[in-house]
Every structure is written in C-alpha cells, then in structure tokens.
Amino acid sequence: ETITVQELANRMAERGADLVKALFKMGMPVTMTQSIDQDTAELLVTDFGHNVKRVSDSDVDLQTEVEADPEDTLKPRAPVVTIMGHVDHGKTSLLDALRGTDVVKGESGGITQHIGAYQVTLKDKSKITFLDTPGHEAFTEMRARGANVTDIVVLVVAADDGLMPQTIEAINHTKAAGVPMIVAINKIDKHEANPQRVRERLLEHDVQVEAMGGETQDVEVSALKKTGLDELVEKIQLQAELLELKANPDRAAEGAVVEAKLDKGRGPVATILVGRGTLKVGDVFVVGAESGKVRALVDDKGRQVKEAGPSMPVEVLGLSGVPRAGDQLQVVENEARAREVAEYRQSVLTQKRTTSAPASLESMFSALKDKQAIVYPLVVKADTQGSVEAIVGSINKISTDDIRAHVLHSGVGGITESDVTLAAASGAPIIGFNVRANAKAREIAERNKVALKYYDVIYDLLDEIRAGMAGELGPEA
Ligand code: GDP
C-alpha cells in the first residue's frame, strides 16, 4: 500500500511542499509525484498533528482517488504546454500566434475567451493544450500546491536580446520540476537576431540543443511574422510522443484549478484542467476547500459544453466559493460527501497546526537506510557575479557521501518573489549574500515558511550551511 506525496497532501489538506520538506527532514528526498509507504504516511500524518484514523477514515477521505488507473483503461491525451521566458521576449505574442494554428477555430463560431488555458486542434486532429498565463511564477506556485499540470515547457528567448535573468530563472524552474523543455528562439525576423549566440549561451546553463550535440529541441520562430510555428508545433508533438501521455477518460473526473475568480453575473468561476476522467454537467465535486455541482461548462471559445475529458480546460460554474490556482478538483458521489470533505478541509486550513515531537530517530534512520545521498536544496542570491560563483563553487565542495548540496537557482540581485516560489516548491532555504529580500518576497516567504538567511561573510555562510546539512543527517551521522 503506497500513496503519492501529492495525494496524501490532498487528503490532509496540507501543502505538498510542506510534506516534501518534512519527508526531507526524515531523510527521504522524494518529490510530490513519488510514492511513500503506509508507515511513512502515518508518521507524517501524526507529525502534522492530524488524527490518523480520521484521515484514513473513508467517510472523510477520498479513498478511491489514490489508485492509478489500470493500464488497459488509459487512452492518449493531449500534452499541456507552458510558455516561459524573459519579459518582452514574446511569450504573449507566441501564445496568440499559436492560438491561430487551431483548425477548428474558424468554423466553431465561438469567440476567444481568456480562461487561463486554451486547446488547439491541429490538421492531423491531434490537440495541444496551452496554459496562457505565461511566466514561471504561476508555474512554480501551482507546483507548490501539488498541481504538476505542465508536461512540456516552451522557453522563449528573443534572438536579438539573448539570455536574460528571467530566462535563466525559467530554465532553473523547469529543471527543478523535471519537465522537458523546447527552446523557441523568437524574433528571428529582426536583423539583429543572433540565434547561434543564444544556443551557445544556453550551454553555460546546461541546456544543450540538438545543433550543439545535445538533446534539447530548439526552433527559430517569429511570433510577429508567424514563421516557424508549424515546426514548433511538430516539436511539441514529438516531445509529447516520447512522454507517452495517457489518462483514463472513463472515470470520475480529477483536475486542477488553473484560474479562479468571482464573476459578477455568474458567481464563483474556476478554470479546471482535467487530469483524468471526464467532467460532466451535474457532477458533484470538491475543489480545495470548496464544493459544488457543475451547473455549466464553458470552453475556451465561449461555447457551453456537456463534458470535458483529460487535458481539456473548461470553466466550471456552480462552486460554493472561489478556490485557489493549483487546488485539485475531485468528483465525488454525492453532495453530502462533497460538503463534508470541503468542511473538513476548511477546518484544517483555519485550524492552527499543532507542533508535535519530531519523528523518532529510529524511523528516521530506517528511512535513511538504503537511500543514496540526501539532497540539500538551496537558492543563492548575491550582490556580484563574482560572489555568486565563489559561493556556489564552495557550496558544491561541501557535499559528502550522505548529503549533497544542490543549488537550484543562483543569481545576482535582491531576493524576489520568483526565488521564493521556487524555494517553497522544493523546501529550500534562500541564502542572501550582501542582498536582501524585497517586501513582496518576504511576505511570500513568511506565508510559505521559506527560510531567508542573510550573510556578509562567505566563511559564516558556508559554516552555517555545513551545520544545516549536518542537522539534516541527524545527531549520529
Ligand atoms: P512577453 O512580455 O514575453 O509576453 O512579450 P510580448 O509578447 O508582449 O512581446 C514584447 C514585444 O516584442 C512586443 O512589442 C511584440 O510585438 C514584440 N515581438 C514579439 N514577438 C516578436 C517577433 O517575433 N518579432 C518581432 N520583431 N517582435 C516581436
């Protein structure tokens, strides 16, 4: 009996990132999608101050949702793509241009609706879903809530501007999520365009495109002149084929909130990206700490539809309140049950978490056994490129057989919201050398319990990281 960290987080109404962090402290470096055994799950549940019985009680719990669907029920599904890149490099333009590749667009009579995601149907009838909130903050924030909806990232780099700070952030966020990337070298129509320079600079960030002997696909495009789009779409399809994306369409639906708002005329509205199953009008569901019954489904062309299958984004009407982006939706058998689960989650969300004794050393060490080196994630920001390099270089040398420091992201400048969302999703502290966090970043750090550590002496910084890493190993290590 195993359960994924994400499912457990859903059941406990806790943030997946907090569970990952707790597991990490127990010596189990796992990601949200990995499975843990019953014993570890129970330990975690009590650790978070929940009652084991209550949580595993089928009256409250979404018992059936854990099981993976049998292989023979799985059908191919469309890939879900997020576009990331530096500001002004053409993310929005590219999303608009790609919308134009939809062959059913013209005949549908529908009008483009911005619901947070859209799906295009290609000439060969296959489909691609694009999340149309570009940028890595939304991506990482959703991931922090356990919604790993993106299958493929398209990294947009303007050929005239080259790699910029947010390009590098996007690369690191994508790597941290373990999502494959396709590089779209944009603005190729400009005479200053230098795509080869982009490919070379990418090497410095461990992104090796095919032309440079690597495996990352790249394609030259112009969102403005609409060139290279077919090739980009082909590469997305190729990558999707390699991923063998599948889901069971014939079951109670599950999905993730992409966007949610309170609409004046329609009440609370959420855009749901269906993960598996088929969401239908009349379905009763729980989404985050809200519940509801599907009153209507509206697609990205403003048309009312009766149902939505895997990878399809739809607006859902009929919610009790506004959920958060990244919340999971699950269809349940009746309204009483939906309300019960939602109320339980509400109470957990508002109830202050009881601090409990740390996991027993014994369990910690048994968990440690037959594991490779623990990964100790960090985000590093410093005042100059020289300090960044010196610090990252020294941190990499601290690693031992038991524990390995891993710098998820490093850069020059103050600590930003984006640094914090990345750190939160991976349970990493942020190290600031001669730099501080801005107000917004501090606020998000506090909310997500991300440690911000400031230093002005490299020696002190390394000393504390060493101590922190030793602490993760436990007293006997
Ligand atoms: P975003 O901030 O990444 O979403 O970038 P936008 O899509 O808003 O584009 C920023 C600017 O670059 C706009 O003025 C666009 O018209 C322009 N732009 C985007 N793509 C291209 C392109 O392929 N060629 C040229 N010449 N300009 C482009």
Side-chain angles (χ1 to χ4, degrees), residues 288-300:
E290 305 295 340
S291 60
K293 183 171 180 170
V294 180
R295 202 169 69 225
L297 295 171
V298 183
D299 75 4
D300 55 357

Side-chain angles (χ1 to χ4, degrees), residues 68-129:
D69 292 293
E71 190 63 35
D72 62 349
T73 63
L74 302 180
K75 305 247 166 68
R77 64 168 179 85
V80 179
V81 178
T82 293
I83 297 197
M84 294 205 247
H86 195 72
V87 63
D88 279 346
H89 278 199
K91 297 181 292 294
T92 313
S93 308
L94 192 59
L95 276 162
D96 285 346
L98 286 165
R99 211 187 271 272
T101 61
D102 192 351
V103 295
V104 300
K105 195 177 132 205
E107 61 201 56
S108 75
I111 303 157
T112 299
Q113 305 289 311
H114 286 272
I115 65 170
Y118 66 87
Q119 197 171 52
V120 296
T121 303
L122 305 164
K123 285 184 215 98
D124 65 1
K125 297 268 172 26
S126 69
K127 293 177 189 313
I128 302 177
T129 302

Side-chain angles (χ1 to χ4, degrees), residues 44-84:
L44 210 57
V45 169
T46 31
D47 228 347
F48 275 73
H50 297 300
N51 184 327
V52 177
K53 210 150 172 232
R54 175 93 210 237
V55 171
S56 60
D57 184 347
S58 61
D59 279 342
V60 177
D61 188 25
L62 298 164
Q63 194 84 66
T64 53
E65 317 301 337
V66 211
E67 288 133 40
D69 292 293
E71 190 63 35
D72 62 349
T73 63
L74 302 180
K75 305 247 166 68
R77 64 168 179 85
V80 179
V81 178
T82 293
I83 297 197
M84 294 205 247

